[in-house]
Amino acid sequence: MKAVARSFVLYLVALVGIASISAQVAERPAMHRAPAQGVYFPTRDRWETRTPAEVGMDAPLLMQAIEYAKTRDTKWGKTDYMADQIRTFGRPLGKVPPSHGPTNGVILRHGYIVAEFGDTGVVEPTYSVAKSYLSTVLGLTIDRGMIKSIKDPVRDYIKDGGYDSPHNARITWEDHARQASEWEGTMFGKPSTFIGAEEFGNGEMKPRDIRDPGTYYEYNDVRVNRFSLSLLRLWKRPLPDVLKTEIMDPIGGSDTWRWLGYDNADVEVDGKTMRSVPGGTRWGAGLWMNSRDHARFGLLMSRMGTWNGRQLVSASWIKQATTQGGPANSNDYGYLWWLNTKGGTKGVPTGSYTAQGNGSNTIFIDPEHDLVVVWRWHAGGDFFARVVASIKQS
């Protein structure tokens, strides 16, 4: 359903020197309000809204931020999605949509929807945002004792030949999560070297010497897909099923999202055929989800893994996953999460972090301000800083 049709959205006219600027800012419902005490969590069927003033935000500044975001619609994939996909990433291996919609977003404060714009219900690929979901599946795996330590070699658990070489045998789960595994091999027809324009498009890499595992950071989807397959073999269940039962259903996610595998990604696990899923949509498939479902996931992270009294993911894992580390050449990066500990993103707290994907698709999480923002199909800019600036200082 289009955001403009939502019964809890109103159009406000910006004041203070702006003429005829409107944004979809949430209005307080007349009844069924959440208790005054305690932390609010939406139910599956109802997500309460609040006006900016009710959650300590300045309405005109927030509207200005939203109007700015609307001007930052991405040009990627707008005229010829498939051409941009192949030019950017190379030969597809899975489903690619014919097009994508305009920019859209959801803004949460204290768990309530304060504003949303565009079509936040459309289900579309989210590209490398999926990596942060993979990180959370790893956290679940460790929480349940299926992996004793993130520093354990993967070969101690996975016996499918992918870690048999002397080089690959040294790779740990943490190396995978830091994108520093330096895993060597081919996954679903794509070599880990990323060499070749036909296979990798503009993302092709130049030949280089392979480093020791854990010593060199490289953003490499082949290695992430190897990591995903290893998690599948541990769970002995398709990872979309793990995500659904352990995370998305408990937080009230919709039934519309899909985590798709490549057409050639069927593997055998204990005599059963299962499809391994990728950590992105670089070669098609991947995690397809609407903005509201992403916002629920972001809220779970912001609340340190708790949801309405249930600890779905341990707080210790979330703290660890959003702590900077890894090789000296790595970006401000956690366990498949982008961080801001070095202040690279101006105007937002250094404790904020994001899930990011091509397009651009972003989940911004600011625990300091109890703020979650999902922004889809944008061309970058300081939207998140503008939203943070709308929070009134007490």
Side-chain angles (χ1 to χ4, degrees):
M1 182 174 61
K2 298 288 185 181
V4 293
R6 299 188 191 282
S7 59
F8 303 118
V9 172
L10 64 91
Y11 290 92
L12 300 179
V13 178
L15 306 174
V16 195
I18 327 171
S20 301
I21 296 179
S22 65
Q24 296 161 344
V25 180
E27 182 179 43
R28 174 171 52 190
M31 54 192 303
H32 302 299
R33 292 178 57 80
Q37 301 296 322
V39 178
Y40 171 72
F41 292 90
T43 65
R44 177 179 174 84
D45 300 320
R46 182 176 180 81
W47 202 333
E48 296 195 20
T49 58
R50 291 292 183 268
T51 64
E54 288 178 301
V55 293
M57 302 178 78
D58 182 280
L61 287 179
L62 183 59
M63 286 187 295
Q64 289 179 55
I66 293 171
E67 290 303 320
Y68 167 79
K70 291 178 181 178
T71 70
R72 302 296 298 165
D73 200 349
T74 184
K75 295 180 181 179
W76 193 93
K78 270 300 179 68
T79 56
D80 191 334
Y81 195 113
M82 182 60 80
D84 281 355
Q85 178 79 20
I86 294 175
R87 184 183 308 112
T88 306
F89 300 120
R91 179 176 65 94
L93 298 175
K95 182 178 179 180
V96 177
S99 62
H100 68 76
T103 190
N104 71 83
V106 183
I107 300 171
L108 311 180
R109 185 134 205 254
H110 304 322
Y112 301 103
I113 294 178
V114 185
E116 57 185 340
F117 57 95
D119 188 349
T120 58
V122 65
V123 178
E124 296 182 303
T126 56
Y127 288 80
S128 286
V129 168
K131 290 178 174 61
S132 299
Y133 285 80
L134 267 178
S135 172
T136 304
V137 172
L138 174 61
L140 292 171
T141 313
I142 293 173
D143 285 346
R144 282 153 178 72
M146 298 164 67
I147 296 173
K148 294 180 181 179
S149 169
I150 196 171
K151 297 185 181 298
D152 285 348
V154 182
R155 68 167 180 177
D156 291 352
Y157 301 80
I158 305 303
K159 309 295 184 181
D160 63 0
Y163 299 90
D164 286 353
S165 72
H167 174 84
N168 288 349
R170 292 180 290 162
I171 296 169
T172 68
W173 295 102
E174 183 174 41
D175 293 336
H176 270 313
R178 294 284 189 201
Q179 295 236 49
S181 73
E182 290 286 87
W183 183 84
E184 291 185 293
T186 298
M187 288 295 302
F188 311 122
K190 302 284 185 178
S192 59
T193 59
F194 258 66
I195 295 174
E198 181 178 352
E199 291 299 322
F200 299 103
N202 293 339
E204 68 169 327
M205 300 179 187
K206 302 299 181 184
R208 66 170 178 84
D209 292 334
I210 297 299
R211 311 292 183 86
D212 290 336
T215 66
Y216 188 81
Y217 167 91
E218 181 176 271
Y219 199 87
N220 187 308
D221 276 48
V222 173
R223 293 172 179 142
V224 169
N225 292 345
R226 173 63 257 193
F227 167 56
S228 177
L229 174 58
S230 298
L231 288 174
L232 166 63
R233 294 201 183 282
L234 266 188
W235 280 88
K236 304 182 189 304
R237 293 166 55 195
L239 295 191
D241 181 54
V242 175
L243 181 64
K244 174 179 171 59
T245 60
E246 307 301 315
I247 298 293
M248 296 307 296
D249 282 354
I251 66 176
S254 75
D255 293 325
T256 64
W257 66 271
R258 298 289 183 269
W259 200 351
L260 306 174
Y262 304 139
D263 297 338
N264 64 343
D266 287 348
V267 298
E268 188 172 296
V269 180
D270 283 359
K272 298 179 180 179
T273 299
M274 301 181 188
R275 180 157 290 189
S276 189
V277 291
T281 311
R282 180 179 289 265
W283 302 302
L287 184 64
W288 298 40
M289 187 175 283
N290 69 43
S291 295
R292 281 195 166 205
D293 281 344
H294 280 309
R296 285 178 182 268
F297 178 68
L299 184 59
L300 174 69
M301 294 295 295
S302 180
R303 297 284 168 78
M304 298 302 290
T306 63
W307 194 273
N308 203 24
R310 291 183 61 187
Q311 191 77 45
L312 302 180
V313 189
S314 67
S316 61
W317 168 258
I318 292 179
K319 181 178 180 181
Q320 189 176 359
T322 56
T323 298
Q324 201 275 336
N329 76 311
S330 64
N331 291 302
D332 204 349
Y333 205 61
Y335 292 160
L336 302 175
W337 286 94
W338 294 94
L339 312 180
N340 195 42
T341 60
K342 300 176 183 178
T345 302
K346 306 300 182 184
V348 302
T350 56
S352 63
Y353 56 95
T354 55
Q356 297 182 25
N358 176 67
S360 294
N361 290 272
T362 312
I363 306 173
F364 170 80
I365 301 165
D366 176 3
E368 178 181 328
H369 294 111
D370 201 3
L371 178 71
V372 175
V373 183
V374 176
W375 191 21
R376 306 285 300 279
W377 303 116
H378 63 85
D382 62 350
F383 173 53
F384 302 120
R386 290 171 183 245
V387 174
V388 171
S390 74
I391 298 174
K392 296 179 180 179
Q393 301 300 314
S394 57

